[in-house]
Amino acid sequence: MLASLSIALALLSQAGPARADEAVEHGVTLFRAHEPAQASIELHELADDPALGPDDRSRARYYLARSLHELGLIQAAELELLRLMEQGPGDPYFQHALPGLLAIAHRNGDPAALLTVVDRVAPATQPPLVQASLHYLQGLGAWQREEFSRADDLLGAVPSDSDLYPRARYLQGLALLEHRKEKSALAAFQAVVEAPPHGDDRRERAQLAELAALATLQVGRVYDELGDHDKAEHFYAQVERGSAPWHDALEAMARIDLIQGEPGSALRRSQYSSWPALSEAAPRAAELLHAQALQALCRPSEARVVLRSFEDRALPLWTELAQATAAHRDEQGAWQDPADAWSGWFEARAQGSTFSTTVFGVLLEDRVLSEAARRLRRIEDEIELLTVQDPSWRRSMEAPLRLQLEHERARRQDDAGRALLEAMADVEAELGVLLQLCEAQLGELAKGTSCPDSEGLRPTGDPDAWGSEEEEADPTEMSWPFTGEIWADEI
């Protein structure tokens, strides 16, 4: 009797893998027959079945991800592919998961998920086109972790014929500035300005134009920090009107105008740069420049109105930001309950808050925060998408996928809350400095400092011009002002 039982168990153990393999193959066949809903039901059960071998589970998970993708459940598919990638290069479907994750990152315009696993991939093992993407993504991750030397090496490996080349060179320029390699940084930003568009995609062309404007702004800032204000102003004037950095360039030129004794030009540039902050919008640093220009032009009463307007809007906001961030710091200064901060301040908005839509618009200028907000929106949209699937599919799949997505949403809410608190703390610190400067300017006005000679106040160029009457510099013609200086690590 015992011998018969042993024989039966042995036969079952031999038959198990064959049946498992057939079950997975049946799910794959359903997917290939364009039946992703039924395929996902069968493969979902098999992907975590402990009775299957690891290779069969990986095969089931890979085709489960592809089935979910076919159903439009992109976030759920991404999570399954990430689980495959986390197994490491030894998994037979590791290589197959990478193209799917790259495609999803490109579709969403968000590589955050891929950045968590991309360092597991050796670029040399991939085709040339994929190598460029990997070098860029690994460089981006290194830059975000402030590993600037590694970021420089990785981003510099992106070839010039890649559509990622302008982005790589821009980030490389920022990394080089962190190590005070200004000359190399200028070359990187120049490469961005000169980079031709790849293809006719309107979105890609618009992003490249915006990147070129940012690179031009960075060139101006490099010369500005080096004290070459004329060269800096030339490049600030090249920033495309209406682009994202346009107001920053105007503000910088207004400050240079004041330094060079041209308050008339500073007045107009600071007014454009601070608009619409002079009415009811978020307070901006350009308002203080505007008040300085008015004061220099012997218009103290107007300067006082501008400063009081800034103070009236900035002080309540700074106070509320300080209270909000303090409420979420522990004794060591680390953030606590960041998910509550996100739901309370970003989603629900505290009643009676002085935070306006415009102020949140300023906060969303923070790249990390804006990406976190879009990522959460995609997850929430996908949870809603589960409810409109076929009822027979929902009976088997809605509950486990909803649980998975809600877990991911909670994790991402925590990340988003940290990003929000960091952005709020940055704005709080900036407003604190600006309020101190505002108070100092009001003090100067109260002293009634005498006006300088009006002859010296006339602008030297057309104050209504975007740049100046002088010939504007060509962004492709960048000269290094310190010809006698040598960088041993750049020779």
Side-chain angles (χ1 to χ4, degrees):
M1 179 71 176
L2 287 174
S4 299
L5 181 58
S6 298
I7 293 170
L9 288 172
L11 290 171
L12 281 172
S13 66
Q14 293 172 6
R19 288 201 302 272
D21 181 67
E22 290 173 5
V24 174
E25 189 60 39
H26 184 254
V28 174
T29 301
L30 286 170
F31 167 77
R32 290 173 175 167
H34 306 292
E35 296 183 29
Q38 188 59 37
S40 65
I41 293 173
E42 295 194 14
L43 294 167
H44 185 267
E45 296 175 357
L46 297 167
D48 291 310
D49 189 343
L52 271 65
D55 290 359
D56 285 328
R57 288 199 299 271
S58 291
R59 181 172 170 78
R61 190 173 306 285
Y62 173 70
Y63 281 98
L64 168 61
R66 294 192 64 179
S67 299
L68 293 171
H69 192 279
E70 287 293 313
L71 293 170
L73 300 170
I74 308 301
Q75 307 309 308
E78 183 179 64
L79 291 174
E80 297 297 342
L81 291 173
L82 285 171
R83 291 181 67 180
L84 274 177
M85 292 286 291
E86 287 166 359
Q87 301 302 315
D91 189 282
Y93 283 86
F94 179 87
Q95 295 280 25
H96 299 290
L98 180 60
L101 285 171
L102 285 168
I104 291 172
H106 181 73
R107 169 179 173 154
N108 291 337
D110 178 11
L114 189 51
L115 289 178
T116 63
V117 294
V118 73
D119 283 336
R120 295 171 178 263
V121 186
T125 64
Q126 304 298 317
L129 286 177
V130 179
Q131 285 184 29
S133 296
L134 290 175
H135 281 129
Y136 171 75
L137 290 167
Q138 290 176 352
L140 172 60
W143 180 75
Q144 289 180 352
R145 295 187 299 271
E146 299 186 357
E147 299 169 3
F148 299 118
S149 293
R150 183 167 183 263
D152 179 21
D153 292 339
L154 288 164
L155 295 166
V158 177
S160 59
D161 59 353
S162 168
D163 60 346
L164 292 169
Y165 177 74
R167 294 174 175 82
R169 291 293 273 160
Y170 180 76
L171 286 177
Q172 188 183 21
L174 296 181
L176 288 163
L177 286 179
E178 293 291 337
H179 286 296
R180 305 306 304 172
K181 296 181 179 180
E182 290 92 348
K183 187 175 182 180
S184 294
L186 281 176
F189 294 136
Q190 180 179 1
V192 177
V193 174
E194 295 175 347
H198 283 75
D200 297 323
D201 185 272
R202 288 185 179 180
R203 187 180 69 169
E204 288 290 329
R205 284 178 172 269
Q207 290 176 352
L208 180 58
E210 201 74 5
L211 198 61
L214 282 167
T216 307
L217 178 71
Q218 293 295 345
V219 172
R221 284 176 171 170
V222 169
Y223 285 115
D224 207 344
E225 290 183 9
L226 291 169
D228 189 342
H229 293 139
D230 290 338
K231 195 75 172 178
E233 187 169 9
H234 280 317
F235 284 101
Y236 287 141
Q238 298 297 324
V239 175
E240 184 178 356
R241 181 188 292 266
S243 63
W246 179 52
H247 283 283
D248 290 336
L250 273 174
E251 181 182 325
M253 287 194 291
R255 177 179 45 76
I256 290 173
D257 284 337
L258 286 171
I259 291 172
Q260 296 180 337
E262 299 179 6
S265 181
L267 183 72
R268 288 158 178 80
R269 283 170 168 167
S270 61
Q271 185 172 22
Y272 283 127
S273 180
S274 59
W275 185 89
L278 295 177
S279 53
E280 298 177 356
R284 295 179 181 271
E287 293 175 75
L288 303 187
L289 292 173
H290 193 64
Q292 282 184 272
L294 287 167
Q295 184 179 2
L297 290 166
C298 294
R299 294 157 66 176
S301 59
E302 294 175 67
R304 193 173 291 107
V305 168
V306 172
L307 293 171
R308 290 299 184 194
S309 172
F310 176 87
E311 190 176 51
D312 289 346
R313 287 175 292 114
L315 186 57
L317 178 58
W318 175 82
T319 302
E320 188 171 358
L321 283 167
Q323 291 172 346
T325 54
H328 288 278
R329 287 189 190 275
D330 61 21
E331 293 180 357
Q332 288 72 41
W335 298 123
Q336 58 181 358
D337 302 323
D340 292 341
W342 177 266
S343 59
W345 289 97
F346 195 89
E347 293 180 346
R349 307 272 180 92
Q351 287 190 350
S353 169
T354 58
F355 288 8
S356 65
T357 302
T358 306
V359 172
F360 272 100
V362 172
L363 290 173
L364 282 173
E365 291 175 4
D366 182 279
R367 177 189 55 80
V368 176
L369 180 59
S370 61
E371 288 177 354
R374 288 194 295 270
R375 195 173 303 126
L376 273 172
R377 174 54 59 192
R378 288 195 301 271
I379 295 172
E380 289 160 2
D381 289 345
E382 190 148 310
I383 291 173
E384 184 64 26
L385 185 60
L386 295 175
T387 65
V388 298
Q389 300 291 329
D390 182 84
S392 62
W393 181 89
R394 289 173 58 194
R395 281 193 292 271
S396 299
M397 296 293 290
E398 181 177 3
L401 288 184
R402 178 181 290 274
L403 185 64
Q404 188 178 28
L405 288 168
E406 287 179 345
H407 176 76
E408 180 68 6
R409 178 174 62 181
R411 188 173 74 85
R412 293 297 187 178
Q413 261 190 335
D414 196 70
D415 293 340
R418 293 180 193 280
L420 174 62
L421 289 167
E422 289 290 347
M424 290 167 71
D426 289 344
V427 175
E428 173 198 341
E430 183 180 351
L431 283 177
V433 172
L434 293 177
L435 280 166
Q436 290 179 343
L437 293 173
C438 179
E439 184 179 0
Q441 286 183 241
L442 285 168
E444 289 180 12
L445 288 171
K447 293 176 183 177
T449 306
S450 60
C451 291
D453 182 6
S454 60
E455 279 297 313
L457 299 178
R458 294 176 182 172
T460 58
D462 179 2
D464 293 320
W466 157 232
S468 68
E469 282 190 344
E470 299 176 18
E471 184 179 353
E472 294 176 343
D474 183 344
T476 64
E477 295 179 2
M478 300 182 188
S479 62
W480 187 243
F482 304 120
T483 55
E485 202 163 349
I486 298 175
W487 276 259
D489 57 340
E490 295 184 28
I491 295 176

